[in-house]
């Protein structure tokens, strides 16, 4: 072992093996240190500088929150596993184009979701890089997918809960529909989070009111009754339908393929449009089947005007096209969602699925094989 030495031969820094100390890269780093060319990162990040960094990267709003915030107790283990030493979470909000999200054409709405998702990921990466260049350790988990599928379905698959962080940072409040409602932009936002190993000079403050106006339009719009007027939320009903072509829904479809005896049997279980839709989700970003709760929400100062001006016209042009659309609704057998969908939307075909949440039923011993829906 030998001590690292500066260019004049004086000991500098920790003791290093002679071979390592002689490496050109090591000598260059030590020389820069000796010359005072390596700046130490500030122990506390300036909040104004950080906010401007986020907005310049493409965010529409941003605020920081300490990992010690009491509402983030459930995030600490996961966050510190992703980036040991994390002290602050930076929440960013990105606006979506409202009428794209409201369109009954799912291709339009899904494209808006995915393009904003890409924008958010790029911005979060840019902020992370700037923090790294300033000497901090920082990390930006994915805004949506990809996630930690090796944990699915027994554990949570997301690195950080973006909604929980955004609410704690003061970017909005969770609405009845379980979407964060920004005080200005409403729920037409996507969220990103950056982890950093430093404190910030000022943290965001939680809103002292809820931008949700309690209109219950999200209750009226949900095709599978996942949102109740009293605030109850049926997450399984929501994911079974809306995430039909993600995760568990794909598993269910794959089981249908495996269980089919031949092409004709497969076509009896899965329509051509369903096959085409699944193909599209496999070749492009996967498609959400609904998102209607977000589409009809009038909360937020920039969004609220048309609802206040003429509520009937708002419902006729925003809510009713989604209610009237003929589309397949995916539900678990004998579920509340199944009963609700058939009663509330009789014009929408209802299809029983396993949801991929449990193993498929064993084949019937009967000579006549039971036909199982996909």
């Amino acid at each position: 072992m030998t001590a690292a030495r500066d260019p004049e031969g004086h000991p500098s820094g920790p003791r290093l093996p002679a071979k390592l100390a002689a490496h050109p890269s090591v000598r260059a780093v030590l020389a820069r240190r000796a010359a005072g060319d390596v700046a130490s990162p500030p122990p506390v990040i300036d909040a104004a500088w950080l906010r401007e960094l986020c907005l310049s990267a493409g965010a529409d709003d941003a605020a920081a929150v300490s990992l010690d915030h009491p509402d983030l107790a459930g995030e600490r283990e996961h966050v510190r596993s992703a980036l040991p030493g994390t002290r602050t979470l930076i929440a960013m909000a990105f606006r979506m184009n409202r009428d794209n999200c409201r369109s009954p054409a799912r291709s339009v709405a899904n494209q808006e979701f995915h393009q904003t998702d890409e924008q958010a990921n790029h911005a979060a990466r840019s902020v992370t890089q700037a923090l790294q260049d300033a000497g901090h350790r920082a990390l930006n988990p994915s805004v949506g997918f990809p996630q930690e599928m090796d944990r699915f379905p027994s554990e949570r698959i997301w690195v950080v809960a973006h909604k929980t962080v955004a609410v704690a940072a003061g970017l909005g409040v969770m609405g009845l529909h379980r979407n964060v409602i920004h005080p200005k932009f409403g729920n037409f936002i996507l969220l990103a989070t950056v982890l950093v190993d430093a404190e910030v000079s000022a943290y965001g403050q939680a809103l002292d009111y809820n931008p949700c106006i309690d209109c219950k339009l999200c209750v009226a719009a949900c095709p599978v009754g996942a949102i109740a007027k009293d605030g109850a939320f049926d997450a399984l009903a929501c994911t079974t339908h809306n995430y039909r072509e993600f995760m568990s829904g794909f598993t269910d479809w794959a089981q249908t393929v495996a269980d089919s005896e031949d092409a004709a049997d497969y076509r009896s279980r899965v329509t051509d449009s369903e096959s085409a839709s699944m193909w599209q989700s496999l070749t492009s970003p996967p498609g959400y089947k609904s998102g209607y709760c977000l589409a009809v929400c009038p909360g937020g100062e920039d969004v609220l005007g048309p609802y206040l001006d003429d509520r009937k016209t708002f419902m006729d042009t925003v809510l009713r096209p989604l209610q009237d659309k003929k589309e397949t609704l995916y539900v678990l057998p004998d579920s509340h969602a199944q009963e609700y969908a058939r009663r509330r939307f009789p014009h929408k075909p209802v299809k029983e699925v396993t949801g991929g949440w449990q193993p498929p039923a064993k084949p019937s011993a009967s000579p006549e094989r039971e036909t199982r829906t996909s």
Side-chain angles (χ1 to χ4, degrees):
M1 298 285 287
T2 183
R5 296 179 177 275
D6 64 23
E8 296 181 357
H10 301 299
S12 173
R15 293 175 60 84
L16 300 174
K19 183 176 180 180
L20 179 61
H23 191 282
S25 296
V26 175
R27 292 174 63 87
V29 169
L30 297 178
R32 285 202 302 272
R33 287 180 178 175
D37 291 341
V38 180
S40 299
V44 177
I45 299 171
D46 180 73
W49 173 85
L50 179 61
R51 177 174 170 78
E52 181 56 34
L53 171 65
C54 295
L55 298 183
S56 298
D60 292 290
D61 199 2
V65 59
S66 171
L67 185 58
D68 291 332
H69 191 290
D71 291 349
L72 299 183
E75 293 300 305
R76 289 175 197 142
E77 177 185 355
H78 304 285
V79 165
R80 287 170 176 155
S81 176
L83 182 70
T86 296
R87 303 183 72 176
T88 295
L89 303 178
I90 305 163
M92 293 183 283
F94 300 82
R95 287 185 295 165
M96 291 188 286
N97 293 321
R98 295 190 292 272
D99 287 318
N100 282 351
C101 296
R102 290 169 172 164
S103 175
R106 296 316 301 157
S107 63
V108 176
N110 282 319
Q111 180 172 248
E112 182 64 27
F113 296 151
H114 289 302
Q115 288 189 340
T116 309
D117 186 280
E118 289 181 12
Q119 176 189 349
N121 275 319
H122 285 307
R125 181 179 182 275
S126 178
V127 169
T128 297
Q129 191 168 65
L131 290 169
Q132 174 185 273
D133 291 344
H136 300 287
R137 297 183 65 237
L139 178 147
N140 59 296
S142 173
V143 169
F145 295 93
Q147 296 185 23
E148 306 303 296
M149 287 304 170
D150 58 306
R151 304 175 185 169
F152 180 80
S154 58
E155 302 176 51
R156 66 180 248 178
I157 60 176
W158 50 94
V159 173
V160 64
H162 301 298
K163 293 180 182 180
T164 302
V165 174
V167 171
L171 293 190
V173 177
M174 200 82 78
L176 187 69
H177 50 14
R178 303 316 193 268
N179 294 313
V180 173
I181 306 178
H182 187 276
K184 184 178 181 181
F185 310 132
N187 75 170
F188 294 94
I189 56 171
L190 288 183
L191 301 168
T193 307
V194 172
L195 287 51
V196 64
D197 68 347
E199 295 180 353
V200 176
S201 62
Y203 291 116
Q205 299 297 315
L207 294 182
D208 58 3
Y209 73 100
N210 192 340
C212 174
I213 63 171
D214 201 30
C215 64
K216 302 294 196 299
L217 290 183
C218 56
V219 177
C222 182
V224 291
I227 309 166
K229 291 181 180 180
D230 63 1
F233 183 67
D234 187 345
L236 193 56
C238 175
T239 54
T240 297
H241 175 64
N242 192 30
Y243 281 67
R244 175 61 188 165
E245 292 170 13
F246 291 73
M247 307 180 311
S248 56
F250 169 80
T251 299
D252 183 52
W253 173 79
Q255 290 169 355
T256 301
V257 174
D259 286 349
S260 298
E261 294 179 346
D262 51 30
D265 186 26
Y266 170 80
R267 285 177 177 269
S268 73
R269 301 165 184 247
V270 183
T271 67
D272 288 347
S273 65
E274 287 176 310
S275 292
S277 184
M278 185 63 74
W279 165 82
Q280 182 169 259
S281 285
L282 292 173
T283 56
S284 302
Y288 300 89
K289 289 297 186 184
S290 184
Y292 297 168
C293 57
L294 179 149
V296 302
C297 181
E301 294 175 12
D302 281 2
V303 188
L304 194 52
Y307 179 80
L308 297 178
D309 294 340
D310 190 337
R311 293 195 294 276
K312 183 180 184 304
T313 297
F314 185 90
M315 288 188 284
D316 286 344
T317 58
V318 177
L319 173 64
R320 297 256 152 67
L322 301 175
Q323 291 178 320
D324 294 343
K325 180 180 178 180
K326 185 176 180 180
E327 60 187 325
T328 300
L329 305 180
Y330 297 93
V331 300
L332 297 175
D334 302 319
S335 62
H336 168 72
Q338 182 181 60
E339 182 277 327
Y340 180 92
R342 287 174 172 169
R343 171 174 51 83
R344 185 69 182 81
F345 298 104
H347 60 289
K348 295 178 185 278
V350 175
K351 191 165 190 176
E352 292 183 359
V353 297
T354 69
W357 303 109
Q358 56 190 11
K362 294 181 178 180
S364 171
S366 170
E368 293 185 358
R369 178 171 174 165
E370 295 180 359
T371 301
R372 183 175 64 82
T373 56
S374 65

